[in-house]
Amino acid sequence: PDVVIEAQFDDNDAEYGQDHLQDVLADDIKKLSLDTGEKVKAVGISRVHRTKQDDGPKVNDPRLLPDKFLQRTAKVVYILEKKHSRAATGFIKLLADKNSELFRRCAMFSPVDHRVPRVYVSLADCPPDFVTRPEDYSNMLFICRIVDWKEDSNFATGQLAKSLGQAGEIEPETEGILTEYGVDFSDFSPEALECLPQSLPWVISPGEMARRRDLR
């Protein structure tokens, strides 16, 4: 296998010149050279050859290495269940390339949560004066829902759902968090409110108290 050598060039190397640097690199390569002539038995590894210069195993076939020297890798083959709500809180801004065709159609949505990808959103979903006055919305929080994410694209595509308000204020920040995690914080329906006692203030009756265990 190839050996990559990283050299550090400092003032001392400049004094000796380029020839000296090449000699140093050549010596390092000789020290780290692997003995490709060694043979390893295919039936188990009873012994790992080591040299004074390198404490690692001298095995050319990775299949013969012990597990502690291997880095396990994996590949996602199927998504069983989509747990994320596909909603994110963030900011919108114009694209950097003003001469591109995409600049005339889309804006960039940057989520606050960096685990969520950046999203292309249509300018039709943005405020009417966003293109002419983008600085007015630099600190405005928006909710965006991801619609699609192509395998060959670094950015997803989505739709702006609503404007939350100024970043840093409690109500917009709270609403953004609840929306991202799919928490229903809408008002109770009239049918649900009718199940509650209508005569207020309401207290537990003495008969009901006698049947209960007081945990106060």
Side-chain angles (χ1 to χ4, degrees):
D2 297 333
V3 178
V4 179
I5 302 298
E6 292 186 2
Q8 198 171 27
F9 188 81
D10 53 20
D11 296 337
N12 294 331
D13 296 325
E15 293 178 2
Y16 290 106
Q18 187 68 19
D19 294 338
H20 173 73
L21 179 61
Q22 293 178 354
D23 294 339
V24 172
L25 288 176
D27 294 338
D28 291 340
I29 293 175
K30 289 179 181 179
K31 293 178 181 178
L32 295 176
S33 62
L34 301 178
D35 186 4
T36 57
E38 294 184 357
K39 300 294 183 178
V40 179
K41 295 182 180 180
V43 183
I45 299 180
S46 60
R47 183 164 57 92
V48 177
H49 295 284
R50 300 178 184 273
T51 62
K52 294 181 180 180
Q53 292 83 4
D54 189 0
D55 292 336
K58 297 302 180 182
V59 180
N60 293 328
D61 191 349
R63 294 173 297 181
L64 302 178
L65 287 170
D67 290 343
K68 66 178 181 178
F69 295 112
L70 299 180
Q71 174 65 53
R72 299 185 183 276
T73 59
K75 179 181 180 181
V76 176
V77 295
Y78 186 74
I79 298 176
L80 291 176
E81 183 181 0
K82 296 181 180 180
K83 301 292 291 184
H84 196 271
S85 63
R86 298 299 186 272
T89 306
F91 306 92
I92 57 174
K93 58 183 179 180
L94 295 175
L95 298 180
D97 189 2
K98 297 182 179 181
N99 298 323
S100 64
E101 179 65 25
L102 197 61
F103 179 85
R104 302 179 181 90
R105 296 185 293 105
C106 298
M108 179 63 70
F109 175 82
S110 298
V112 176
D113 187 351
H114 296 289
R115 297 173 298 177
V116 182
R118 286 181 290 177
V119 185
Y120 286 132
V121 294
S122 174
L123 286 177
D125 296 339
C126 300
D129 58 342
F130 169 68
V131 177
T132 57
R133 300 178 61 88
E135 63 277 359
D136 293 349
Y137 301 93
S138 60
N139 200 38
M140 184 78 67
L141 280 176
F142 288 86
I143 287 288
C144 176
R145 293 194 178 273
I146 297 177
V147 177
D148 191 17
W149 191 3
K150 302 293 184 182
E151 294 182 359
D152 57 348
S153 176
N154 293 329
F155 308 108
T157 56
Q159 294 178 343
L160 284 183
K162 62 180 297 187
S163 172
L164 296 178
Q166 292 293 323
E169 297 182 359
I170 294 178
E171 291 185 2
E173 297 280 359
T174 303
E175 184 177 350
I177 294 174
L178 295 175
T179 304
E180 287 182 8
Y181 286 92
V183 179
D184 184 6
F185 57 94
S186 59
D187 295 335
F188 288 103
S189 63
E191 292 79 7
L193 295 177
E194 288 176 358
C195 299
L196 300 176
Q198 303 300 318
S199 59
L200 301 177
W202 176 80
V203 293
I204 302 176
S205 63
E208 185 68 25
M209 285 290 294
R211 298 191 304 151
R212 298 190 181 191
R213 181 181 178 185
D214 194 348
L215 298 178
R216 292 175 295 179

